[in-house]
Amino acid sequence: MSRYWSDFVNGLEPYIPGEQPLDPAVIKLNTNENPYGPSPKSLKAITDCANQQLRLYPCPDSKELKNTIADYYELSPDQIFVGNGSDEVLAHAFNGLFRKTQPVLFPDITYSFYPVFCRLYDISYHQIPLAENFYLQLEQYCRPNGGIIFPNPNAPTGRFLDLNNIENLLREVTNSVVVVDEAYVDFGGASCAALIPNYDNLLVVHTLSKSRSLAGLRIGYAMGSSSLINGLNRVKNSFNSYPLSRIQAAAAVASFKDNTYFENTIKKVVVSRLDLTGELKTLGFEVVPSMANFLLVTHPKVSANSLYERLRANDILVRHFDRPRIDSYIRITVGNNAQNRALTQCLSSIVKSV
Ligand SMILES: *Cc1c(COP(=O)(O)O)cnc(C)c1O
């Protein structure tokens, strides 16, 4: 609190991101980063960009990147919006598409930035509880609303909902915007970008932070009808005309053009997710089935907080959410083989000591 702040700022409850320790020896399994690093082609594109041209502003519409993404998903460039991380894209979507009289609907257990955006833009919201086992039941979203948003796969559960369910929802909900946050869809899910030509009110949001391993560069994008994209452009151009630097745009374009590298790293993460699931179950953990690059797990004998603290004491960071329904779980990012081995060894000694 400060007397210099407006009442509005005093009332905000900002999002708290996972910790980024300075010590590189820490095994970071807390923010769902990709252990394999960006494509060498992205790294080359970055160094190729580091020249006198940086004196010039970037293209305000990131045209080359929009063309590249449009080609990749068989859409047209006016169906693509890009921003400084998908968090920024989501913020513009809340601001531009969700400020209605009816409340915005999202699950009770989901990405915790959504209620933060609602408070920032003074949007009323209603959280719909996930069913047992963290199933997302979209039938419950067919009620008056000012917009609907959910991640698919959901975060932090990892559960994936197939496209039939989403299409059924879109058949019912025609007067408000449905945003599907597909931050983790590349790890085995199917994107509902394929539904965009049939549904004007569907916005699909992606990030290059997870599957494309560019979290440090901050690049996200949205795909939807040109009318939704135009709305986002109006908000963006009232806020920051140049959200992506020349370096961000060049690295992103190169990432989409290196599909072999992309597919190989995804494959490795998916194999590790399956291996890790098996090993954790052997140690007595319950593992929520995940289509993402993380696992939500609980152990019948050791509390989540004590798992978190004891891993941390061994320089392994995971995430523990002190929130109803998931406070007995920890969320573990799937790492590389060495990281996963260190994790399972440490968990094995913790579990055996009780
Ligand atoms: C990581 C994540 C994001 C944000 O990604 P950035 O592009 O790094 O801002 C958005 N939504 C969900 C569900 C995420 O997990």
Side-chain angles (χ1 to χ4, degrees):
M1 295 280 269
S2 160
R3 67 195 176 92
Y4 298 117
W5 298 350
S6 62
D7 291 344
F8 172 73
V9 169
N10 277 317
L12 292 177
E13 281 175 57
Y15 177 78
I16 304 164
E19 187 180 345
Q20 293 293 338
L22 292 175
D23 179 359
V26 171
I27 298 182
K28 267 198 92 267
L29 303 175
N30 65 333
T31 52
N32 300 341
E33 289 138 334
N34 190 320
Y36 296 110
S39 154
K41 293 189 175 155
S42 287
L43 298 179
K44 177 160 188 306
I46 291 169
T47 53
D48 287 352
C49 252
N51 60 38
Q52 289 299 317
Q53 293 292 99
L54 287 177
R55 72 189 182 78
L56 301 173
Y57 281 108
C59 170
D61 307 310
S62 305
K63 281 211 172 82
E64 195 191 356
L65 178 56
K66 285 186 186 174
N67 289 339
T68 305
I69 297 171
D71 280 351
Y72 194 87
Y73 287 100
E74 298 180 1
L75 294 166
S76 77
D78 66 357
Q79 294 175 304
I80 312 293
F81 178 81
V82 299
N84 194 266
S86 65
D87 287 338
E88 185 187 86
V89 173
L90 290 167
H92 290 332
F94 275 76
N95 193 5
L97 309 173
F98 282 175
R99 291 176 97 160
K100 304 284 178 67
T101 39
Q102 298 284 353
V104 167
L105 308 178
F106 49 84
D108 62 336
I109 298 165
T110 195
Y111 189 36
S112 48
F113 225 133
Y114 302 157
V116 174
F117 291 135
C118 285
R119 282 188 290 266
L120 177 63
Y121 295 118
D122 210 6
I123 297 166
S124 66
Y125 62 92
H126 179 73
Q127 294 183 275
I128 299 186
L130 296 178
E132 281 302 294
N133 303 321
F134 305 131
Y135 279 110
L136 179 57
Q137 294 176 312
L138 288 183
E139 310 85 74
Q140 300 183 356
Y141 289 70
C142 297
R143 58 163 96 177
N145 67 78
I148 294 172
I149 183 166
F150 55 89
N152 195 35
N154 196 6
T157 67
R159 274 199 182 278
F160 180 72
L161 204 59
D162 69 50
L163 299 196
N164 293 335
N165 293 281
I166 296 175
E167 189 155 23
N168 287 340
L169 176 75
L170 289 164
R171 284 198 192 98
E172 301 291 325
V173 177
T174 52
N175 289 324
S176 62
V177 176
V178 175
V179 177
V180 184
D181 179 353
E182 294 187 335
Y184 301 100
V185 78
D186 292 331
F187 297 105
S191 174
C192 57
L195 303 176
I196 288 171
N198 300 331
Y199 300 94
D200 270 1
N201 60 333
L202 168 64
L203 190 77
V204 181
V205 177
H206 283 191
T207 173
L208 276 74
S209 298
K210 306 331 190 328
S211 59
R212 294 183 183 274
S213 216
L214 287 168
L217 267 194
R218 315 301 304 123
I219 308 154
Y221 60 100
M223 301 178 280
S225 63
S226 55
S227 131
L228 293 187
I229 298 303
N230 252 331
L232 296 177
N233 282 330
R234 287 169 70 89
V235 176
K236 170 249 177 192
N237 289 324
S238 306
F239 178 79
N240 179 2
S241 313
Y242 308 101
L244 289 194
S245 67
R246 289 169 170 269
I247 290 177
Q248 286 167 295
V253 167
S255 169
F256 280 98
K257 300 214 159 140
D258 193 358
N259 218 32
T260 314
Y261 181 87
F262 174 68
E263 284 175 1
N264 285 341
T265 49
I266 296 288
K267 230 174 267 167
K268 285 199 261 189
V269 172
V270 170
V271 169
S272 297
R273 178 178 72 210
L274 295 172
D275 291 348
L276 197 54
T277 302
E279 284 164 40
L280 293 173
K281 284 184 173 167
T282 307
L283 294 174
F285 283 88
E286 262 174 54
V287 182
V288 179
S290 169
M291 286 284 257
N293 68 337
F294 57 81
L295 297 171
L296 190 68
V297 308
T298 181
H299 196 279
K301 297 212 177 86
V302 195
S303 77
N305 198 45
S306 118
L307 289 169
Y308 170 83
E309 290 294 348
R310 292 173 74 175
L311 286 169
R312 194 186 165 85
N314 285 280
D315 277 344
I316 301 176
L317 283 188
V318 298
R319 199 95 194 253
H320 174 234
F321 298 95
D322 199 4
R323 274 191 263 147
R325 296 187 75 189
I326 51 166
D327 52 0
S328 60
Y329 290 78
I330 54 172
R331 190 196 67 190
I332 305 171
T333 304
V334 176
N336 62 25
N337 291 337
Q339 294 174 319
N340 296 339
R341 203 171 314 117
L343 170 84
T344 47
Q345 278 170 1
C346 189
L347 286 176
S348 164
S349 68
I350 295 170
V351 167
K352 280 173 188 152
S353 71
V354 295

